[in-house]
Amino acid sequence: MRLTRTAAVAAVLAAAVVGPLMVAQPSVAAPAKLSDDFNGDGYRDLVLLGGRYKTDYRVDVVYGTSSGPGTRVQTIHQSQAAIPGSAEEGDFFGQAATSADLDRDGYADLIVSAPGEKVGDIEDRGGLTVVWGGATGLGSGTVFNSPVPSEYEGQGDWFGEDVEAGDFDGDGDQDLAATSSSRAGGVVLLEGPFTRAGQRAGSQLLGGNYGYLFTDRLVAGPVTADGATDLYILGSDLYGDDMDLRAFFHRGGSDFATRAASVRLPDPSPTEAFGRSPLGVAIGDFDKDGHGDLAVGRSAEEKDLNRGYVVVQYGGATGPDTARSPVKFSQATAGVPGSSESDDLFGYSLAAGDVNGDGYADLAVGAPGEDLADRRDGGAVTVLLGRAGGLSGTGAKSYDQNKSGIAGSVETDDNFGNDLRMADYTRDGRADLMVETDDWVGSRLGMVHLLKGSSSGITGTGSKSYTAGSLNLSYGTFGGWFAN
């Protein structure tokens, strides 16, 4: 199975003040209606990470149509003149990505991280490359580096191992939250608006009320329903009372930099503090109460024999509703298809969206280690349906490559469900499901499936698939994971 994230590097960096701030001038245009519509045609575009050609990491953008992502593809990489930097082994360009209209010109922009990027004499400084959207699609890029100074000479903070976009400070402009392997930051907020000349409104560090925040994953979304974007940081406070995995909640608004709440995630692995297990994360309003709920997949834990499970912490008016106990789902839950078996990796990937148009968010759960039809690690995806009271195993459905309409067939090490994404790509009011697999197509690795939403849920009818060959790409490793 291809890894969807590089291992975090826990280099200890000292606290430091933020550098000089540049004040950007906002654009007069209306902001983009969709955060992933790079050419403004009203359809969502698909961003695929993990492509590679020799030492050059590739990001592929498949532009949307009325039937979903089509055949027009644009490849972004650091060997292009319009993209800053140069392609070097260890840059990890495309380690993470997200999208938002950062300059309020009506077109979504693509933000691509390169946490291993060398900047001047500083190794592993990292950075975020903003590739600006426009009427014809994505164009030139601008790099925004970490505002956290180095503690040790020549050593950076691996800025951008994960990144999320949203209006975190509640001022109406899109901001960026990115990880930093530093004692000073842990997570850094870059405040918008941004300009193509490299200006931004400011920055804040989120590590101030932690001892040493070590971050695994970020997930952003509307939890409190107050208009600003909220953020969960999955990680540990290494200088706290314990090093258990927690979901630290930062509420969007003027106090965003201050931790508002913390939820301990159950059943920590003994080896979790260093060398962590994969974490699927998603936010969705599964009970339609107006507040976003957090789902966390715990797929790889020794004492669970890597069977995997999902924990859901329901949200409330001020953040996580701790009056409601977290709810656990596995393949042993009543109504969930299949059975809980060693190395299934249930919960390795998660995605949330309303697949049937009933107003409740539903949850897709990847189990890339599922054995099917005597094929090891063929992989499967289960969709849990939202309803009054929250998610339930009732009505859950499972999908794999032996299901009607889905391209390919179950084969050993396909790992169907390696990564997932939900969004309404067909503009019919229902979320569609994108599924990444390690399917070999001839001598080329990687296939991505589009399974459409319908009034009855996700269906294989009308599904589409994408490979390096179908998109006329010249390299052999295609996809791997999706942008946030």
Side-chain angles (χ1 to χ4, degrees), residues 104-130:
R104 296 177 64 88
D105 66 349
Y107 300 98
D109 309 304
L110 176 64
I111 302 96
V112 182
S113 79
E117 184 79 32
K118 181 179 180 180
V119 180
D121 294 329
I122 302 177
E123 299 283 349
D124 305 324
R125 182 64 164 162
L128 305 176
T129 299
V130 177

PDB file of all heavy atoms in Angstrom, residues 104-130:
ATOM      1  N   ARG A 104      -9.654  36.717  -3.645  1.00  0.00           N
ATOM      2  CA  ARG A 104     -11.023  37.224  -3.857  1.00  0.00           C
ATOM      3  C   ARG A 104     -11.238  37.752  -5.276  1.00  0.00           C
ATOM      4  O   ARG A 104     -11.889  38.774  -5.489  1.00  0.00           O
ATOM      5  CB  ARG A 104     -11.345  38.321  -2.836  1.00  0.00           C
ATOM      6  CG  ARG A 104     -11.351  37.838  -1.393  1.00  0.00           C
ATOM      7  CD  ARG A 104     -11.599  38.982  -0.420  1.00  0.00           C
ATOM      8  NE  ARG A 104     -12.920  39.558  -0.614  1.00  0.00           N
ATOM      9  CZ  ARG A 104     -14.039  39.141  -0.027  1.00  0.00           C
ATOM     10  NH1 ARG A 104     -13.989  38.102   0.804  1.00  0.00           N
ATOM     11  NH2 ARG A 104     -15.192  39.722  -0.245  1.00  0.00           N
ATOM     12  N   ASP A 105     -10.704  37.003  -6.264  1.00  0.00           N
ATOM     13  CA  ASP A 105     -10.890  37.434  -7.650  1.00  0.00           C
ATOM     14  C   ASP A 105     -11.968  36.636  -8.364  1.00  0.00           C
ATOM     15  O   ASP A 105     -12.171  36.800  -9.571  1.00  0.00           O
ATOM     16  CB  ASP A 105      -9.568  37.347  -8.417  1.00  0.00           C
ATOM     17  CG  ASP A 105      -9.066  35.919  -8.593  1.00  0.00           C
ATOM     18  OD1 ASP A 105      -9.626  34.997  -7.943  1.00  0.00           O
ATOM     19  OD2 ASP A 105      -8.112  35.707  -9.366  1.00  0.00           O
ATOM     20  N   GLY A 106     -12.664  35.759  -7.650  1.00  0.00           N
ATOM     21  CA  GLY A 106     -13.727  34.967  -8.249  1.00  0.00           C
ATOM     22  C   GLY A 106     -13.304  33.604  -8.728  1.00  0.00           C
ATOM     23  O   GLY A 106     -14.143  32.836  -9.220  1.00  0.00           O
ATOM     24  N   TYR A 107     -12.017  33.273  -8.576  1.00  0.00           N
ATOM     25  CA  TYR A 107     -11.493  31.970  -8.997  1.00  0.00           C
ATOM     26  C   TYR A 107     -10.784  31.298  -7.818  1.00  0.00           C
ATOM     27  O   TYR A 107     -10.011  31.935  -7.095  1.00  0.00           O
ATOM     28  CB  TYR A 107     -10.496  32.133 -10.148  1.00  0.00           C
ATOM     29  CG  TYR A 107     -11.088  32.788 -11.377  1.00  0.00           C
ATOM     30  CD1 TYR A 107     -10.904  34.152 -11.605  1.00  0.00           C
ATOM     31  CD2 TYR A 107     -11.830  32.052 -12.294  1.00  0.00           C
ATOM     32  CE1 TYR A 107     -11.449  34.764 -12.730  1.00  0.00           C
ATOM     33  CE2 TYR A 107     -12.373  32.658 -13.413  1.00  0.00           C
ATOM     34  CZ  TYR A 107     -12.192  34.017 -13.627  1.00  0.00           C
ATOM     35  OH  TYR A 107     -12.731  34.616 -14.737  1.00  0.00           O
ATOM     36  N   ALA A 108     -11.056  30.014  -7.641  1.00  0.00           N
ATOM     37  CA  ALA A 108     -10.369  29.266  -6.594  1.00  0.00           C
ATOM     38  C   ALA A 108      -8.889  29.135  -6.942  1.00  0.00           C
ATOM     39  O   ALA A 108      -8.510  29.054  -8.112  1.00  0.00           O
ATOM     40  CB  ALA A 108     -11.000  27.889  -6.427  1.00  0.00           C
ATOM     41  N   ASP A 109      -8.066  29.108  -5.922  1.00  0.00           N
ATOM     42  CA  ASP A 109      -6.626  28.940  -6.062  1.00  0.00           C
ATOM     43  C   ASP A 109      -6.220  27.622  -5.413  1.00  0.00           C
ATOM     44  O   ASP A 109      -6.841  27.162  -4.451  1.00  0.00           O
ATOM     45  CB  ASP A 109      -5.892  30.105  -5.399  1.00  0.00           C
ATOM     46  CG  ASP A 109      -6.417  31.451  -5.851  1.00  0.00           C
ATOM     47  OD1 ASP A 109      -6.428  31.696  -7.068  1.00  0.00           O
ATOM     48  OD2 ASP A 109      -6.840  32.244  -4.991  1.00  0.00           O
ATOM     49  N   LEU A 110      -5.171  27.009  -5.934  1.00  0.00           N
ATOM     50  CA  LEU A 110      -4.674  25.739  -5.420  1.00  0.00           C
ATOM     51  C   LEU A 110      -3.457  25.983  -4.537  1.00  0.00           C
ATOM     52  O   LEU A 110      -2.516  26.668  -4.949  1.00  0.00           O
ATOM     53  CB  LEU A 110      -4.302  24.815  -6.582  1.00  0.00           C
ATOM     54  CG  LEU A 110      -3.661  23.469  -6.218  1.00  0.00           C
ATOM     55  CD1 LEU A 110      -4.633  22.601  -5.429  1.00  0.00           C
ATOM     56  CD2 LEU A 110      -3.205  22.745  -7.484  1.00  0.00           C
ATOM     57  N   ILE A 111      -3.489  25.433  -3.330  1.00  0.00           N
ATOM     58  CA  ILE A 111      -2.382  25.569  -2.394  1.00  0.00           C
ATOM     59  C   ILE A 111      -1.712  24.211  -2.249  1.00  0.00           C
ATOM     60  O   ILE A 111      -2.354  23.231  -1.849  1.00  0.00           O
ATOM     61  CB  ILE A 111      -2.861  26.076  -1.027  1.00  0.00           C
ATOM     62  CG1 ILE A 111      -3.570  27.418  -1.176  1.00  0.00           C
ATOM     63  CG2 ILE A 111      -1.690  26.175  -0.048  1.00  0.00           C
ATOM     64  CD1 ILE A 111      -5.080  27.326  -1.279  1.00  0.00           C
ATOM     65  N   VAL A 112      -0.431  24.134  -2.593  1.00  0.00           N
ATOM     66  CA  VAL A 112       0.314  22.880  -2.590  1.00  0.00           C
ATOM     67  C   VAL A 112       1.477  22.997  -1.617  1.00  0.00           C
ATOM     68  O   VAL A 112       2.263  23.946  -1.704  1.00  0.00           O
ATOM     69  CB  VAL A 112       0.853  22.536  -3.998  1.00  0.00           C
ATOM     70  CG1 VAL A 112       1.580  21.197  -3.982  1.00  0.00           C
ATOM     71  CG2 VAL A 112      -0.277  22.520  -5.018  1.00  0.00           C
ATOM     72  N   SER A 113       1.607  22.041  -0.720  1.00  0.00           N
ATOM     73  CA  SER A 113       2.700  22.099   0.244  1.00  0.00           C
ATOM     74  C   SER A 113       3.916  21.336  -0.256  1.00  0.00           C
ATOM     75  O   SER A 113       3.814  20.410  -1.058  1.00  0.00           O
ATOM     76  CB  SER A 113       2.254  21.515   1.591  1.00  0.00           C
ATOM     77  OG  SER A 113       2.268  20.096   1.564  1.00  0.00           O
ATOM     78  N   ALA A 114       5.071  21.759   0.245  1.00  0.00           N
ATOM     79  CA  ALA A 114       6.343  21.065  -0.009  1.00  0.00           C
ATOM     80  C   ALA A 114       7.151  21.141   1.284  1.00  0.00           C
ATOM     81  O   ALA A 114       8.060  21.968   1.412  1.00  0.00           O
ATOM     82  CB  ALA A 114       7.099  21.695  -1.169  1.00  0.00           C
ATOM     83  N   PRO A 115       6.821  20.310   2.271  1.00  0.00           N
ATOM     84  CA  PRO A 115       7.425  20.462   3.604  1.00  0.00           C
ATOM     85  C   PRO A 115       8.918  20.212   3.656  1.00  0.00           C
ATOM     86  O   PRO A 115       9.580  20.660   4.589  1.00  0.00           O
ATOM     87  CB  PRO A 115       6.662  19.437   4.451  1.00  0.00           C
ATOM     88  CG  PRO A 115       6.145  18.441   3.470  1.00  0.00           C
ATOM     89  CD  PRO A 115       5.833  19.212   2.228  1.00  0.00           C
ATOM     90  N   GLY A 116       9.470  19.501   2.679  1.00  0.00           N
ATOM     91  CA  GLY A 116      10.900  19.235   2.679  1.00  0.00           C
ATOM     92  C   GLY A 116      11.713  20.227   1.861  1.00  0.00           C
ATOM     93  O   GLY A 116      12.918  20.042   1.669  1.00  0.00           O
ATOM     94  N   GLU A 117      11.087  21.286   1.380  1.00  0.00           N
ATOM     95  CA  GLU A 117      11.751  22.265   0.513  1.00  0.00           C
ATOM     96  C   GLU A 117      12.898  22.967   1.252  1.00  0.00           C
ATOM     97  O   GLU A 117      12.752  23.424   2.388  1.00  0.00           O
ATOM     98  CB  GLU A 117      10.742  23.303   0.041  1.00  0.00           C
ATOM     99  CG  GLU A 117      11.283  24.318  -0.940  1.00  0.00           C
ATOM    100  CD  GLU A 117      11.378  23.777  -2.349  1.00  0.00           C
ATOM    101  OE1 GLU A 117      10.545  22.931  -2.717  1.00  0.00           O
ATOM    102  OE2 GLU A 117      12.287  24.206  -3.081  1.00  0.00           O
ATOM    103  N   LYS A 118      14.039  23.041   0.593  1.00  0.00           N
ATOM    104  CA  LYS A 118      15.166  23.809   1.111  1.00  0.00           C
ATOM    105  C   LYS A 118      15.006  25.259   0.673  1.00  0.00           C
ATOM    106  O   LYS A 118      14.756  25.550  -0.488  1.00  0.00           O
ATOM    107  CB  LYS A 118      16.489  23.245   0.591  1.00  0.00           C
ATOM    108  CG  LYS A 118      17.720  23.975   1.105  1.00  0.00           C
ATOM    109  CD  LYS A 118      19.001  23.341   0.563  1.00  0.00           C
ATOM    110  CE  LYS A 118      20.235  24.073   1.070  1.00  0.00           C
ATOM    111  NZ  LYS A 118      21.487  23.457   0.549  1.00  0.00           N
ATOM    112  N   VAL A 119      15.163  26.186   1.628  1.00  0.00           N
ATOM    113  CA  VAL A 119      15.022  27.608   1.338  1.00  0.00           C
ATOM    114  C   VAL A 119      16.324  28.293   1.741  1.00  0.00           C
ATOM    115  O   VAL A 119      16.664  28.366   2.931  1.00  0.00           O
ATOM    116  CB  VAL A 119      13.836  28.231   2.095  1.00  0.00           C
ATOM    117  CG1 VAL A 119      13.728  29.726   1.773  1.00  0.00           C
ATOM    118  CG2 VAL A 119      12.542  27.512   1.739  1.00  0.00           C
ATOM    119  N   GLY A 120      17.077  28.754   0.761  1.00  0.00           N
ATOM    120  CA  GLY A 120      18.388  29.310   1.045  1.00  0.00           C
ATOM    121  C   GLY A 120      19.293  28.246   1.626  1.00  0.00           C
ATOM    122  O   GLY A 120      19.484  27.182   1.028  1.00  0.00           O
ATOM    123  N   ASP A 121      19.825  28.507   2.796  1.00  0.00           N
ATOM    124  CA  ASP A 121      20.695  27.539   3.462  1.00  0.00           C
ATOM    125  C   ASP A 121      19.952  26.694   4.492  1.00  0.00           C
ATOM    126  O   ASP A 121      20.573  25.943   5.243  1.00  0.00           O
ATOM    127  CB  ASP A 121      21.849  28.275   4.165  1.00  0.00           C
ATOM    128  CG  ASP A 121      22.779  28.964   3.176  1.00  0.00           C
ATOM    129  OD1 ASP A 121      22.924  28.446   2.050  1.00  0.00           O
ATOM    130  OD2 ASP A 121      23.339  30.026   3.535  1.00  0.00           O
ATOM    131  N   ILE A 122      18.636  26.820   4.533  1.00  0.00           N
ATOM    132  CA  ILE A 122      17.856  26.126   5.556  1.00  0.00           C
ATOM    133  C   ILE A 122      17.221  24.870   4.959  1.00  0.00           C
ATOM    134  O   ILE A 122      16.377  24.950   4.058  1.00  0.00           O
ATOM    135  CB  ILE A 122      16.773  27.036   6.149  1.00  0.00           C
ATOM    136  CG1 ILE A 122      17.402  28.295   6.743  1.00  0.00           C
ATOM    137  CG2 ILE A 122      15.980  26.294   7.221  1.00  0.00           C
ATOM    138  CD1 ILE A 122      16.404  29.279   7.290  1.00  0.00           C
ATOM    139  N   GLU A 123      17.629  23.715   5.457  1.00  0.00           N
ATOM    140  CA  GLU A 123      17.062  22.448   5.026  1.00  0.00           C
ATOM    141  C   GLU A 123      15.655  22.278   5.609  1.00  0.00           C
ATOM    142  O   GLU A 123      15.372  22.719   6.727  1.00  0.00           O
ATOM    143  CB  GLU A 123      17.938  21.283   5.491  1.00  0.00           C
ATOM    144  CG  GLU A 123      19.364  21.296   4.943  1.00  0.00           C
ATOM    145  CD  GLU A 123      19.434  20.841   3.496  1.00  0.00           C
ATOM    146  OE1 GLU A 123      18.419  20.316   2.995  1.00  0.00           O
ATOM    147  OE2 GLU A 123      20.506  21.001   2.881  1.00  0.00           O
ATOM    148  N   ASP A 124      14.786  21.643   4.842  1.00  0.00           N
ATOM    149  CA  ASP A 124      13.457  21.274   5.328  1.00  0.00           C
ATOM    150  C   ASP A 124      12.688  22.483   5.862  1.00  0.00           C
ATOM    151  O   ASP A 124      11.923  22.372   6.825  1.00  0.00           O
ATOM    152  CB  ASP A 124      13.548  20.198   6.418  1.00  0.00           C
ATOM    153  CG  ASP A 124      14.321  18.972   5.964  1.00  0.00           C
ATOM    154  OD1 ASP A 124      14.208  18.619   4.783  1.00  0.00           O
ATOM    155  OD2 ASP A 124      15.034  18.372   6.795  1.00  0.00           O
ATOM    156  N   ARG A 125      12.882  23.617   5.235  1.00  0.00           N
ATOM    157  CA  ARG A 125      12.140  24.816   5.629  1.00  0.00           C
ATOM    158  C   ARG A 125      10.663  24.664   5.295  1.00  0.00           C
ATOM    159  O   ARG A 125       9.791  25.092   6.033  1.00  0.00           O
ATOM    160  CB  ARG A 125      12.729  26.030   4.920  1.00  0.00           C
ATOM    161  CG  ARG A 125      12.080  27.359   5.283  1.00  0.00           C
ATOM    162  CD  ARG A 125      12.285  27.685   6.732  1.00  0.00           C
ATOM    163  NE  ARG A 125      12.021  29.086   7.033  1.00  0.00           N
ATOM    164  CZ  ARG A 125      11.796  29.515   8.257  1.00  0.00           C
ATOM    165  NH1 ARG A 125      11.766  28.666   9.261  1.00  0.00           N
ATOM    166  NH2 ARG A 125      11.592  30.796   8.488  1.00  0.00           N
ATOM    167  N   GLY A 126      10.405  24.069   4.147  1.00  0.00           N
ATOM    168  CA  GLY A 126       9.027  23.884   3.726  1.00  0.00           C
ATOM    169  C   GLY A 126       8.435  25.135   3.113  1.00  0.00           C
ATOM    170  O   GLY A 126       9.058  26.207   3.077  1.00  0.00           O
ATOM    171  N   GLY A 127       7.208  25.011   2.639  1.00  0.00           N
ATOM    172  CA  GLY A 127       6.520  26.154   2.056  1.00  0.00           C
ATOM    173  C   GLY A 127       5.206  25.755   1.426  1.00  0.00           C
ATOM    174  O   GLY A 127       4.930  24.570   1.197  1.00  0.00           O
ATOM    175  N   LEU A 128       4.389  26.762   1.164  1.00  0.00           N
ATOM    176  CA  LEU A 128       3.107  26.588   0.501  1.00  0.00           C
ATOM    177  C   LEU A 128       3.141  27.347  -0.816  1.00  0.00           C
ATOM    178  O   LEU A 128       3.356  28.564  -0.827  1.00  0.00           O
ATOM    179  CB  LEU A 128       1.967  27.110   1.374  1.00  0.00           C
ATOM    180  CG  LEU A 128       1.857  26.540   2.785  1.00  0.00           C
ATOM    181  CD1 LEU A 128       0.725  27.235   3.546  1.00  0.00           C
ATOM    182  CD2 LEU A 128       1.621  25.035   2.747  1.00  0.00           C
ATOM    183  N   THR A 129       2.960  26.637  -1.911  1.00  0.00           N
ATOM    184  CA  THR A 129       2.900  27.269  -3.227  1.00  0.00           C
ATOM    185  C   THR A 129       1.442  27.496  -3.586  1.00  0.00           C
ATOM    186  O   THR A 129       0.657  26.537  -3.674  1.00  0.00           O
ATOM    187  CB  THR A 129       3.568  26.401  -4.297  1.00  0.00           C
ATOM    188  OG1 THR A 129       4.947  26.222  -3.974  1.00  0.00           O
ATOM    189  CG2 THR A 129       3.451  27.055  -5.670  1.00  0.00           C
ATOM    190  N   VAL A 130       1.063  28.740  -3.780  1.00  0.00           N
ATOM    191  CA  VAL A 130      -0.282  29.078  -4.235  1.00  0.00           C
ATOM    192  C   VAL A 130      -0.245  29.204  -5.750  1.00  0.00           C
ATOM    193  O   VAL A 130       0.465  30.049  -6.299  1.00  0.00           O
ATOM    194  CB  VAL A 130      -0.777  30.389  -3.599  1.00  0.00           C
ATOM    195  CG1 VAL A 130      -2.162  30.744  -4.147  1.00  0.00           C
ATOM    196  CG2 VAL A 130      -0.813  30.271  -2.085  1.00  0.00           C
TER     197      VAL A 130
END
